Amino acid sequence: MPLDWLCHIFKHCNHLAECNVAIKDQMPHHSLIDETPHILLPFLQSLSVRDDALQGGLVYGVLQVPSLRTLELFETRTAGMPPSLLSFQPQLDALEKLVINPDVFRMEDAVEFLRLATSLTHLTLGKNSFAHWTPPPPMNIDMMLGLLSKKYPSEEDNTRTSLLLPKLEVLEAYWVPTSDKEFLDLIVARLDPAQRDVSKLKHATATFARVKQMDISRQVEYHAQAVGVNFKLDLSYLKRDLYEGLAPTYGLTDGNMMLPRIFAEPNHIFSE
């Protein structure tokens, strides 16, 4: 829907508790947004927005959502433009679950947001489209996962360091190029007993854009048990079809897309 329509809905439906919307038109917005200093949605707890118009930030900047707990903000804006999520930043103190497209984040944007999103317990990077063929993933997801295992100066005390997202317990990442060893290092870092002010990771789900390299389940289980965490690990990989050359569709195209010659290999590890 056009941006002004969305603004109009928010302005006149202030008892919304859940909202799912797609912004598609790229038409210039009218004066409604400019004339609206703020829109209070005191009961909104869940908001899902797919923004293909690259204009959502104009609305987010005037929204006041004190009860928002779940936000799915999937943008498809081009590289170099700041993500609209940063317009929401000052009022996401109570946000618990976030779903984003990592491709829209530059390094500085990601660090800025993750340092301030201290209430997040559940982070989802990308979409679970494993059942359908998609192009190779962007490298931004690799960058964001790397940030989650690094230590930064604490906001309260610059003399000590701590991990970003101190309350993170559930992590989902889809079409991940990260190696198994790097993903293991991330999980181990989030289970570090020395990080006393950081919640321990309890559930990790990842779909890898490659074949399996190594089994990390035993190491994860070992580190989880050491800190008393009942860890759930759910990993999926791609597996090449050894018989692809014999398939009648081998080498054929469907429109402009080469027909897929790989298929998913789910690898649900353990949940004790």
Side-chain angles (χ1 to χ4, degrees):
M1 69 172 61
L3 201 61
D4 275 347
W5 291 14
L6 178 61
C7 186
H8 185 81
I9 291 174
F10 285 154
K11 189 173 182 179
H12 294 279
C13 301
N14 56 7
H15 282 75
L16 277 176
E18 183 175 345
C19 182
N20 189 328
V21 66
I23 306 174
K24 293 187 176 297
D25 286 354
Q26 293 185 337
M27 298 173 59
H29 71 276
H30 302 293
S31 59
L32 179 60
I33 297 176
D34 296 331
E35 296 173 355
T36 305
H38 68 270
I39 300 174
L40 177 61
L41 298 174
F43 307 108
L44 186 64
Q45 296 185 9
S46 177
L47 176 61
S48 176
V49 180
R50 178 174 179 85
D51 182 4
D52 294 330
L54 315 183
Q55 296 178 333
L58 297 174
V59 174
Y60 310 146
V62 301
L63 286 184
Q64 294 183 0
V65 286
S67 301
L68 192 65
R69 298 294 181 269
T70 300
L71 175 62
E72 180 176 337
L73 189 54
F74 212 81
E75 301 176 86
T76 56
R77 64 183 55 243
T78 57
M81 299 179 64
S84 294
L85 180 63
L86 299 181
S87 302
F88 257 130
Q89 184 72 70
Q91 53 177 319
L92 296 181
D93 294 339
L95 191 67
E96 297 174 355
K97 181 179 179 179
L98 177 66
V99 181
I100 54 174
N101 175 14
D103 193 30
V104 304
F105 282 84
R106 300 170 299 179
M107 173 71 79
E108 56 268 32
D109 297 329
V111 173
E112 177 184 351
F113 174 75
L114 295 177
R115 285 180 66 89
L116 298 176
T118 55
S119 62
L120 273 187
T121 61
H122 187 157
L123 175 65
T124 300
L125 302 174
K127 290 251 187 167
N128 185 8
S129 57
F130 200 63
H132 306 283
W133 174 253
T134 60
M139 294 305 294
N140 296 54
I141 192 170
D142 214 15
M143 174 267 293
M144 294 197 75
L145 288 174
L147 293 177
L148 296 179
S149 61
K150 293 181 180 179
K151 297 178 182 178
Y152 291 83
S154 172
E155 292 291 326
E156 293 79 18
D157 184 359
N158 289 331
T159 62
R160 61 185 182 87
T161 59
S162 62
L163 295 170
L164 299 174
L165 302 185
K167 296 184 179 180
L168 185 65
E169 296 183 353
V170 180
L171 174 64
E172 299 180 51
Y174 297 102
W175 294 104
V176 180
T178 305
S179 70
D180 286 327
K181 178 59 167 59
E182 290 170 329
F183 197 70
L184 172 63
D185 291 342
L186 164 61
I187 294 175
V188 172
R190 307 297 308 195
L191 292 172
D192 184 2
Q195 293 289 308
R196 298 181 180 178
D197 297 330
V198 176
S199 297
K200 301 298 181 286
L201 193 66
K202 297 178 180 178
H203 185 181
T205 298
T207 293
F208 292 92
R210 54 166 177 76
V211 297
K212 185 177 180 178
Q213 299 168 338
M214 60 181 287
D215 185 359
I216 68 173
S217 60
R218 290 182 180 272
Q219 295 96 317
V220 171
E221 186 175 15
Y222 170 80
H223 288 281
Q225 290 181 347
V227 292
V229 171
N230 184 20
F231 201 95
K232 182 178 181 181
L233 182 65
D234 189 358
L235 308 180
S236 297
Y237 299 85
L238 293 180
K239 182 177 180 181
R240 292 198 174 276
D241 185 356
L242 298 179
Y243 298 98
E244 63 176 357
L246 302 178
T249 57
Y250 179 73
L252 299 180
T253 60
D254 180 12
N256 295 323
M257 183 181 296
M258 181 71 71
L259 292 175
R261 299 193 298 274
I262 52 181
F263 60 89
E265 179 193 24
N267 187 14
H268 304 289
I269 306 299
F270 66 86
S271 175
E272 297 181 349

